[in-house]
Amino acid sequence: MTLLFHESPKYLLTSESVTEGHPDKLCDQISDGVLDAVLRNDPMGRVACEVAVTNGLVVVMGEITTNSYVDVPKIVRDTLRNAGYTNSEYGIDAKSCGVTVSIQEQSNDISAGVTTALESRPGREAPADDFDTTGAGDQGMMVGFACNETPELMPLTVSLSHRLVKQLSIVRKEGALPYLRPDGKSQVTVEYRHGVPHRVDTVVISAQHDPDVSTEQMEKEITEEVIKKIIPAELLDDDTKIYINPSGRFVIGGPAGDTGLTGRKILVDTYGGIARHGGGAFSGKDPTKVDRSAAYAARWVAKNIVAAGLAERAEVLVAYAIGVATPISVAVETFGTNKIGSDKIHELVNKHFDLRPAAIIRDLDLRRPIYQPTAAYGHFGREELNLSWERTDKAEALRKDAGL
């Protein structure tokens, strides 16, 4: 069912985010740290790296095919140190934790399907071009989304959630709130009226802390130094509810409080639940895995649709079969906000975007060590990282062809 948000007089939407010290995000960053290390010396390397972290132990697993050497324990310890885990009281210590590595090469069956796409195998017609020769690394559905609620064309709920936990990390690292520890979460609920953000209804912050700080001090200082520094004053009112550590104390956190796993924060990575999600995680996967590369391409398509003024909201859904270059399906949903016909939007997407894996890798220049910074605070809307899938380089051509 299509949700026509602009027709609803009033509704609430909620998104969450987590700090780089959250145990699941530690795993994502380690996985992408390994990927970046491979791509730095071997851009054609194949990587599927998974990480688990618990109290005092990090386990790195997966399938990696590369001609380069990767110092996995160093990546683990550097990532933990950068996140602030330098004291065993925090749940894990970068200096003393155990690191177990269990890595093998990529399956020959999977490798063959990726290296030689169905379109270019013996007995079939000659491939149309070189981009028909690389098959998708897996089957699945990938989703991209954009909307005009923020300058970076992201939902306001997830944008505020990311900015809150970034600020929580900043005040910890700069010493403004020295009692904070690395683990933390945010959650923001926005009230919409006829599809437009009207006010912030609820803010939740859960922040790991030293045992000797009072709840009253944290509530006062986090409100002033984090929430009010990030959320515009005009979105806060007397009815806005603020909850800081609503469970009570949060001394035990990080890997001591929760086991972390790669790929367990997929809605934090994407659009905060405002858009659908195809199911696949991103971190630790090289760009032949369409879970990652096609999701980035779908965001690129959606963002250009909105930037061109073809719609106020756009959700792009792409599906693949393993070993096949051409997508099984491409669909665009605009939730009733489109300014031109849906058929015309589909026609323009097919004309201006090549969504075969090899073409995506070429157009977005994905065989580079650019991934670890995306593994915390979201993969989209990160204008400070200058990510290729955040470009609006097709917007003018789309606008011209649409006759707008």
Side-chain angles (χ1 to χ4, degrees):
M1 180 179 70
T2 300
L3 298 176
L4 300 182
F5 292 114
H6 63 293
E7 295 181 355
S8 302
K10 181 178 175 181
Y11 55 90
L12 300 176
L13 293 176
T14 302
S15 296
E16 71 160 346
S17 187
V18 298
T19 66
E20 77 264 35
H22 186 280
D24 294 329
K25 276 289 144 207
L26 287 175
C27 295
D28 288 341
Q29 291 168 88
I30 294 168
S31 292
D32 275 340
V34 172
L35 172 62
D36 281 353
V38 170
L39 295 179
R40 195 167 286 116
N41 297 310
D42 180 11
M44 302 302 290
R46 300 271 177 86
V47 179
C49 180
E50 313 289 342
V51 176
V53 58
T54 187
N55 194 0
L57 177 64
V58 179
V59 181
V60 183
M61 306 160 282
E63 298 79 43
I64 299 177
T65 303
T66 180
N67 57 24
S68 66
Y69 170 74
V70 177
D71 188 345
V72 174
K74 184 178 187 301
I75 292 169
V76 169
R77 298 187 193 283
D78 286 348
T79 302
L80 292 173
R81 187 178 302 108
N82 291 337
Y85 285 100
T86 57
N87 187 325
S88 58
E89 292 183 6
Y90 295 173
I92 197 166
D93 184 353
K95 299 186 296 294
S96 61
C97 70
V99 178
T100 298
V101 179
S102 179
I103 291 173
Q104 59 186 348
E105 289 194 341
Q106 184 183 54
S107 156
N108 288 332
D109 293 344
I110 295 174
S111 178
V114 174
T115 303
T116 306
L118 180 67
E119 291 91 330
S120 60
R121 290 178 204 161
R124 302 184 70 87
E125 294 183 8
D129 53 41
D130 289 344
F131 303 116
D132 263 348
T133 61
T134 300
D138 203 349
Q139 70 176 41
M141 301 76 65
M142 293 78 213
V143 179
F145 181 80
C147 62
N148 61 1
E149 294 176 13
T150 61
E152 66 273 22
L153 304 186
M154 287 288 285
L156 180 62
T157 51
V158 74
S159 179
L160 291 176
S161 296
H162 286 323
R163 291 171 59 198
L164 284 170
V165 283
K166 281 185 186 177
Q167 180 67 7
L168 200 63
S169 179
I170 288 170
V171 296
R172 170 177 62 86
K173 291 180 176 180
E174 293 183 348
L177 302 184
Y179 50 79
L180 292 180
R181 292 180 175 183
D183 198 357
K185 291 183 176 183
S186 67
Q187 186 171 283
V188 177
T189 300
V190 173
E191 178 186 315
Y192 288 74
R193 295 189 181 178
H194 297 285
V196 178
H198 180 69
R199 57 183 287 275
V200 169
D201 182 81
T202 308
V203 181
V204 182
I205 297 285
S206 295
Q208 187 187 13
H209 57 84
D210 290 343
D212 55 354
V213 63
S214 69
T215 300
E216 294 73 22
Q217 181 183 355
M218 281 193 298
E219 288 178 348
K220 177 178 182 297
E221 294 182 347
I222 290 176
T223 299
E224 294 298 323
E225 297 298 324
V226 178
I227 295 173
K228 291 185 176 180
K229 291 286 180 69
I230 294 301
I231 299 182
E234 63 269 21
L235 293 178
L236 298 171
D237 57 32
D238 292 341
D239 293 324
T240 299
K241 299 176 284 295
I242 295 176
Y243 300 106
I244 296 174
N245 285 3
S247 68
R249 306 291 281 170
F250 187 8
V251 175
I252 300 172
D258 271 310
T259 296
L261 293 170
T262 297
R264 203 159 60 175
K265 281 287 177 280
I266 56 176
L267 295 183
V268 172
D269 287 340
T270 55
Y271 308 102
I274 305 306
R276 283 170 278 200
H277 193 289
F282 301 157
S283 291
K285 297 178 180 178
D286 74 79
T288 66
K289 279 73 171 175
V290 285
D291 277 345
R292 178 170 224 154
S293 54
Y296 290 170
R299 161 65 175 173
W300 182 40
V301 175
K303 189 171 184 181
N304 276 274
I305 289 172
V306 174
L310 308 188
E312 296 175 10
R313 303 170 73 87
E315 186 180 69
V316 176
L317 299 95
V318 188
Y320 293 86
I322 188 169
V324 180
T326 304
I328 299 301
S329 65
V330 179
V332 181
E333 171 63 76
T334 57
F335 308 96
T337 68
N338 48 303
K339 309 304 180 186
I340 63 174
S342 297
D343 289 346
K344 183 63 175 178
I345 291 177
H346 281 86
E347 175 189 322
L348 293 175
V349 168
N350 289 329
K351 176 181 176 181
H352 290 279
F353 298 93
D354 189 339
L355 296 176
R356 291 173 296 174
I360 292 171
I361 292 169
R362 173 204 61 182
D363 292 341
L364 299 181
D365 195 12
L366 297 181
R367 294 193 187 276
R368 297 176 291 146
I370 57 174
Y371 297 105
Q372 193 175 40
T374 69
Y377 310 119
H379 294 245
F380 306 119
R382 302 289 300 281
E383 294 185 338
E384 77 279 10
L385 297 180
N386 194 30
L387 299 168
S388 56
W389 53 90
E390 291 298 312
R391 299 190 312 244
T392 54
D393 52 335
K394 302 280 190 177
E396 183 57 37
L398 289 170
R399 189 180 301 114
K400 180 179 178 181
D401 280 3
L404 296 180

